Amino acid sequence: MNKTLIVLGTQWGDEGKGKITHFLSDRADYVVRFQGGDNAGHTIRFQNKTHKLHLLPSGVFNPETKNILGNGMVINPKKFLEEIDSLKEEYHNNVFISDRAHVLFDYHRLLDGLNEEKLGAGKIGTTKRGIGPAYADKAARTGIRFADFIAPHFPKLFSKTLSEVSQRLASHGLEIDGAALMEEYLGVAERIKPFVIDSVGELNEALASGKKILFEGAQGTLLDIDFGTYPYVTSSNCSAGGAATGSGIAPNKISEVLGVVKAYGTRVGEGAFVTEIKDGIAECIREKGNEYGTSTGRPRRIGWFDGVAVSYSRMVSGLTGLAVTLLDVLSGLETVKICTAYELRGKIIHTIPASIRDFEDCKPLYEELPGWMEDISQAKSFSDLPANAQNYIERIEKITGVPVVMISVGPDQTQTIMRKNIF
Ligand code: GDP
Ligand code: IMO
Ligand code: MG
C-alpha cells in the first residue's frame, strides 16, 4: 500500500478536502498541511458533531496521528492558539508547527484589508486573513520564521520589522503601538514554543522508517498562484508541487495524488467562473449544499461541473484518483450538465488560458445528462446509486481521465463510499 498521498482541491476550494482527509487520517502516521494559512476552512463531521478547522490539519481528531503545519504555511500564531484552545485537550498533543513556517502577524491582516480597499471594484475578494502580505514578506525575505519567532534574538529582529511596518502603515495614515505589539508577541511566542519542531527532518526520518504521510492541501488548483486564474488566486501553490516544497519531502517520494472534486462547482470571492449558474438552480444547490464559506460566511457562487478545469488540474497535479463529494446535493434535478470544452472567441479550447482576459471571455460548452430523483445520502456502495448517478460518475471519469475512487454522499464521515483502497 502507498506510504504517501496528497489530498488536494481540484477546483476553487471547498471541495470537501477536510472531510476526505479526516476520513483517511486514521491510516496515516502523519497529516501535513503544506501551504496556505487560516484562509482555509475545513468542515468535518463525525459522531454527530461538526468541527471547523482553519489552521490545524484534519487528522487532528486521531490521537494516533501526528499533525504538522508544514514549512510552506503562513501561520497566525494567535489564531493557532485559539484553535488549539477550542479543541478538547486530548486533541492537542499531536499538533506541531514547522520551524521553517512563516509567522503571520496582525499587521498582515491589516495590510490585506488595505490592499483590497485600494483595489476597489477590482478587488480579489480575499478572506482578509493576511495571506497575500505574509507570503509577500516571505518572498521579499523580510518575513519571520517560527525558528526565529521563538529564539532569544526575536526582539531585535521584530524591532527592525516593526519600524519598517510603521512606515508602511504611516502612508495609510495608520499608527501601530510597537511596544505593545512586542510585548504581546513575546507572550505568544512563549506559548507557541513547545509546538515548534524541525518538521523537515522529522518527516524525512519518518518516511525512511516506513511511516505513512498524508499531505493535506488547502484551497484548490484554480486558486494556485501559478496555475490558477491569476490574479484572482491565493498566494501559494495549492497543486501537487506545493506538497513537496511545503513539507520538505522530495517529489520522487510522492506517487499518489487524490483530487477532491465537488459534483458541481463553487467559487468564493471575485474572478470569472465559466460554468456559473445564474438562474434559480444556483439558489437551490446553495441551500441544499449549505454553500456558505466556512471562514467568512460568504455565499458561494455555484456552477456546473467544469470538466476543463478538473482535467487541467489532473495535468498539473498528476491526479491518480478522484474523490467526488456532495453528489447527494444534485438529487432532484431533471438534468445535470458537465462542461466539456470552452469556446474562446470562436475557437474551441480544452485548457485554462493564462490570461485572465481570455478566461473571462470563455463560454462553456455543455453535455447534458439525465438527473436522478432519489435521496442517495444512505448509499453505501457504488451499486446502491441510481443508474443516472452512476452514469454521471462514469462520465466524470471519462471526461477527466481519472478514476473516481471515493464518493461522498453527505457531510458525515459515515457517508463515504470507498471504491478502491488507495492509502
Ligand atoms: P474544504 O475546504 O475543501 O475542506 O471544504 P469545506 O469544508 O469548506 O466545504 C465543504 C462543505 O461540504 C462542508 O460544509 C462539508 O461539511 C460539506 N460536505 C462535505 N462532503 C459532503 C457531501 O458529500 N455531501 C454534503 N451534503 N455535504 C458535504
Ligand atoms: P479552503 O481550504 C475557497 C479564495 C478567496 C479569494 C482568493 C484569495 O477552505 O478550500 P486569500 O485570502 O487566500 O488571499 O484569498 O482565494 N480562497 C478560498 N476559497 N476556499 C478556500 O480555502 C479559500 N482560501 C482562499 O475567497 O477569492
Ligand atoms: Mg473550505
Side-chain angles (χ1 to χ4, degrees):
M1 199 38 66
N2 303 303
K3 295 280 187 201
T4 50
L5 174 73
I6 303 173
V7 173
L8 55 76
T10 58
Q11 296 156 314
W12 280 273
D14 303 325
E15 298 91 347
K17 300 173 293 292
K19 177 193 161 157
I20 298 296
T21 302
H22 168 253
F23 182 90
L24 295 170
S25 66
D26 61 354
R27 304 153 193 227
D29 296 296
Y30 286 84
V31 175
V32 187
R33 270 280 307 268
F34 54 86
Q35 40 73 232
D38 65 322
N39 48 348
H42 301 165
T43 309
I44 292 159
R45 194 173 164 77
F46 61 98
Q47 291 164 1
N48 292 324
K49 279 212 182 84
T50 299
H51 303 268
K52 291 186 191 298
L53 300 174
H54 299 281
L55 282 167
L56 305 186
S58 301
V60 74
F61 302 108
N62 278 301
E64 304 297 313
T65 308
K66 279 194 173 182
N67 290 272
I68 295 190
L69 286 79
N71 60 276
M73 290 185 73
V74 289
I75 303 163
N76 181 333
K78 293 206 244 168
K79 291 283 162 198
F80 172 83
L81 293 173
E82 266 176 36
E83 212 166 314
I84 282 277
D85 290 341
S86 72
L87 289 185
K88 281 204 271 176
E89 218 166 300
E90 60 184 285
Y91 301 136
H92 295 185
N93 301 329
N94 272 334
V95 181
F96 303 93
I97 296 177
S98 172
D99 53 3
R100 285 181 163 81
H102 276 249
V103 185
L104 187 153
F105 292 99
D106 282 346
Y107 55 79
H108 289 124
R109 288 168 71 107
L110 199 61
L111 289 166
D112 197 351
L114 291 169
N115 290 345
E116 284 284 271
E117 227 169 80
K118 205 166 75 190
L119 287 170
K123 69 178 194 292
I124 307 295
T126 74
T127 59
K128 299 196 183 155
R129 299 297 192 264
I131 305 299
Y135 277 116
D137 272 353
K138 174 177 172 176
R141 292 149 297 176
T142 50
I144 295 179
R145 287 171 157 191
F146 275 86
D148 298 307
F149 184 45
I150 58 167
H153 58 254
F154 170 68
K156 204 167 157 205
L157 195 62
F158 198 46
S159 300
K160 197 165 153 249
T161 306
L162 283 175
S163 74
E164 281 161 12
V165 171
S166 318
Q167 283 174 25
R168 265 200 270 173
L169 289 175
S171 68
H172 294 280
L174 295 171
E175 272 179 42
I176 49 169
D177 182 344
L181 275 178
M182 178 68 81
E183 200 185 318
E184 186 186 11
Y185 276 109
L186 280 170
V188 174
E190 208 45 45
R191 270 202 73 194
I192 285 285
K193 215 174 188 165
F195 294 99
V196 180
I197 60 162
D198 166 16
S199 62
V200 177
E202 172 150 353
L203 285 170
N204 276 286
E205 275 170 32
L207 197 59
S209 66
K211 298 269 196 299
K212 291 175 78 175
I213 303 178
L214 199 160
F215 302 88
E216 178 182 25
Q219 293 83 49
T221 307
L222 279 300
L223 289 172
D224 183 290
I225 183 135
D226 282 282
F227 304 113
T229 50
Y230 193 91
Y232 298 97
V233 292
T234 191
S235 303
S236 63
N237 285 118
C238 335
S239 52
T245 55
S247 71
I249 295 290
N252 63 353
K253 303 240 165 65
I254 314 174
S255 52
E256 293 298 311
V257 188
L258 179 64
V260 186
V261 59
K262 232 171 233 195
Y264 44 96
T266 58
R267 180 164 200 171
V268 227
E270 307 303 318
F273 184 15
V274 176
T275 63
E276 186 161 13
I277 306 173
K278 296 281 173 54
D279 59 26
I281 293 180
E283 196 53 39
C284 177
I285 293 178
R286 185 177 300 116
E287 291 314 309
K288 195 154 175 216
N290 189 26
E291 293 293 0
Y292 294 90
T294 310
S295 286
T296 57
R298 289 179 290 178
R300 295 176 183 147
R301 297 154 68 191
I302 311 288
W304 293 114
F305 186 95
D306 186 340
V308 178
V310 181
S311 299
Y312 174 78
S313 187
R314 187 231 329 127
M315 179 175 76
V316 298
S317 283
L319 304 179
T320 53
L322 284 179
V324 174
T325 57
L326 294 109
L327 187 66
D328 53 300
V329 175
L330 294 184
S331 288
L333 296 176
E334 288 286 331
T335 51
V336 280
K337 293 191 200 178
I338 297 183
C339 171
T340 54
Y342 295 162
E343 189 196 312
L344 173 59
R345 298 181 209 111
K347 253 180 83 181
I348 307 295
I349 61 166
H350 292 90
T351 191
I352 305 287
S355 157
I356 194 67
R357 298 288 163 262
D358 290 343
F359 187 63
E360 283 163 352
D361 283 349
C362 285
K363 305 273 173 284
L365 297 177
Y366 287 117
E367 178 176 308
E368 272 197 31
L369 288 94
W372 57 95
M373 295 298 140
E374 298 88 336
D375 172 8
I376 59 168
S377 62
Q378 300 310 315
K380 297 282 174 243
S381 68
F382 187 68
S383 58
D384 287 347
L385 297 174
N388 286 348
Q390 291 188 13
N391 180 40
Y392 186 65
I393 293 289
E394 281 162 359
R395 281 308 291 154
I396 287 177
E397 288 184 314
K398 186 93 183 143
I399 287 161
T400 61
V402 190
V404 172
V405 295
M406 290 174 79
I407 301 168
S408 173
V409 291
D412 196 83
Q413 185 191 9
T414 55
Q415 294 170 295
T416 314
I417 299 171
M418 199 74 178
R419 293 181 80 196
K420 187 180 164 214
N421 201 1
I422 38 147
F423 184 58

